[in-house]
Amino acid sequence: MDAGFTAEQDEIRRTLRTLLDADDGPGDAYDPGLWRRIARDHRLPGLTVPQDYGGAGRGTAEQAVVLEETGRALLPSPLLATAVLAAPLILALGTAEQRAALLPAVATGELTACLAVPGGFLATALGLAGDPTGGSWAGGGRAGGVQARPARDGGGGWRLYGEADRVPDGERAGLLLVAAHAGGFPRSRTLLFLVRADGPEPPAGLARTPQSSPDPTRPLARVQLRDTAAELLGADDTADTGPALAAAGRTAAAVLAAEAVGAAAGALERTAAYLAARERPGACAPAPHAYEAERHRIAELYVRVRAARSAAYFAAWDQESAGLALAQALKVLRAVTAEAVRLPGDAGPPDREHEAHPYARRAAVLERLLGPAHRLRDHAARDSGLFAAAGDGQVAV
């Protein structure tokens, strides 16, 4: 299928592309002024937040349109961490008071947030590369991971101990959603906790340090918690958060697939434009017979990007297919970025290769966060029953 868009979705795309194309190519630096414009004028952080909390109340398809365009421009912003990963969990698990206190600030862009998962197991926590229930990925109640204990003062608060690696936007987020184990080994369950870091002073015991990221437009951080005060997200400290994380993971997979498709399209557009310019008379170029093979390769990649785009938007409508769509999009992004670096050869200007590298780095950081595409595809296929054994010993498809 190919995606059919509403007039409103097309307008979102046109407006956002005009805004982002005003910048001359991908940049590495986060621009707080641009973030405020995006939040104030276009309401992107609150696009899927219900109107009762100051959001626009739109759906996953509109969010996929936005992430496709920000992926095409490689926009450095906390949009993924805040709007895609954190806000749905606050909405799903938070008490009425927590939703009322946090979501309006998220919707206006005043409060940014991140999801801190121990051990770098983001894909497992979201149900994209494993089963999030039980929470063994968060430490399993044993040493390691992040552990939560009720505060000794009996006031209903909690204290967190441990660390989480590779947290997207973890260094600058004003609110941390931390996945932690509570109850010890016999009654172990995974809960989410709120740590506010938007005050004039960081909470006691909280340390955030930047980590090496292949893509500077998507910074990662290590979050360390040493007896840090936290608030339980929700009112029930006996429930496992696995189902809510898995539901958020399906939505995240659909919009991340759209982002990867946008990045692949951006890389392909730049490569095709460069090759077309190189063919003009007087340009420094390889032998003419090389053009035909390059044109065929560009056309082949264009078809693959279109197919991945259709899969991503189908997943926005039917999120049970989101894992497979994400795996397909990541594979296509890898293929396109490899060709974006290779195809121009040695005939272009010295900085031509560097223009393609930002897209390759986005592919690398997505795989670092979520794992290789083949692992995502394998889990999604098994989770959907694609490889389930039939009663007669045949494979059910």
Side-chain angles (χ1 to χ4, degrees):
M1 65 160 292
D2 197 3
F5 299 100
T6 66
E8 182 182 29
Q9 291 164 353
D10 285 333
E11 181 60 26
I12 291 173
R13 185 186 303 280
R14 282 193 299 269
T15 302
L16 190 54
R17 184 170 297 193
T18 299
L19 174 65
L20 298 179
D21 281 352
D23 294 329
D24 187 15
D28 293 347
Y30 164 64
D31 182 351
L34 179 59
W35 172 250
R36 286 192 293 269
R37 288 178 60 195
I38 285 174
R40 182 189 67 241
D41 299 340
H42 304 286
R43 305 173 70 188
L44 297 191
L47 190 66
T48 59
V49 173
Q51 294 179 350
D52 291 346
Y53 300 108
R58 300 296 185 261
T60 304
E62 287 78 11
Q63 196 170 55
V65 169
V66 169
L67 267 291
E68 184 183 359
E69 290 304 310
T70 59
R72 175 180 172 271
L74 297 183
L75 175 69
S77 83
L79 189 63
L80 171 68
T82 300
V84 178
L85 297 179
L89 291 169
I90 296 171
L91 183 63
L93 297 173
T95 64
E97 293 78 10
Q98 288 170 335
R99 293 195 298 266
L102 298 174
L103 289 177
V106 167
T108 61
E110 297 173 12
L111 178 65
T112 60
C114 67
L115 175 63
V117 173
F121 291 114
L122 181 62
T124 303
L126 294 175
L128 302 177
D131 183 4
T133 60
S136 60
W137 46 269
R142 303 176 177 87
V146 179
Q147 307 299 321
R149 300 174 188 169
R152 292 190 181 94
D153 59 13
W158 292 77
R159 314 295 293 189
L160 301 183
Y161 309 79
E163 67 178 43
D165 287 330
R166 301 201 296 270
V167 179
D169 285 294
E171 186 183 13
R172 64 187 176 208
L175 174 70
L176 288 79
L177 272 67
V178 182
H181 255 82
F185 182 67
R187 298 178 55 249
S188 177
R189 70 269 187 199
T190 303
L191 302 171
L192 285 178
F193 295 88
L194 303 172
V195 177
R196 294 296 296 259
D198 56 340
E201 296 292 335
L206 174 65
R208 302 190 281 181
T209 55
Q211 288 185 294
S212 174
S213 172
D215 180 8
T217 69
R218 179 144 291 161
L220 307 176
R222 173 179 290 119
V223 174
Q224 295 173 303
L225 304 134
R226 304 181 183 95
D227 194 22
T228 304
E231 176 187 351
L232 176 69
L233 178 63
D236 185 2
D237 64 359
T238 65
D240 195 299
T241 58
L245 283 164
R250 288 188 290 272
T251 301
V255 297
L256 278 168
E259 181 191 75
V261 166
L268 191 59
E269 288 167 8
R270 289 174 177 272
T271 302
Y274 172 77
L275 294 177
R278 196 182 60 177
E279 295 182 25
R280 289 199 293 264
C284 179
H289 64 79
Y291 289 143
E292 194 64 27
E294 290 177 350
R295 292 193 195 100
H296 279 295
R297 185 59 179 149
I298 290 292
E300 181 182 315
L301 290 171
Y302 176 78
V303 171
R304 292 184 64 182
V305 171
R306 293 289 295 183
R309 185 172 186 254
S310 292
Y313 279 98
F314 181 81
W317 174 67
D318 178 11
Q319 293 176 17
E320 293 301 319
S321 65
L324 290 172
L326 177 58
Q328 180 181 356
L330 290 179
K331 187 174 181 180
V332 169
L333 177 57
R334 268 296 189 189
V336 169
T337 53
E339 294 296 328
V341 173
R342 185 190 68 82
L343 273 177
D346 297 327
D351 63 344
R352 172 58 192 86
E353 189 175 3
H354 297 291
E355 183 180 302
H357 278 170
Y359 294 97
R361 292 196 292 265
R362 175 56 60 89
V365 78
L366 284 173
E367 290 198 346
R368 177 172 291 190
L369 284 172
L370 302 171
H374 68 82
R375 188 170 66 134
L376 295 172
R377 183 173 61 247
D378 178 71
H379 176 75
R382 293 182 185 280
D383 196 47
S384 66
L386 192 62
F387 298 144
D392 60 0
Q394 302 297 316
V395 175
V397 296

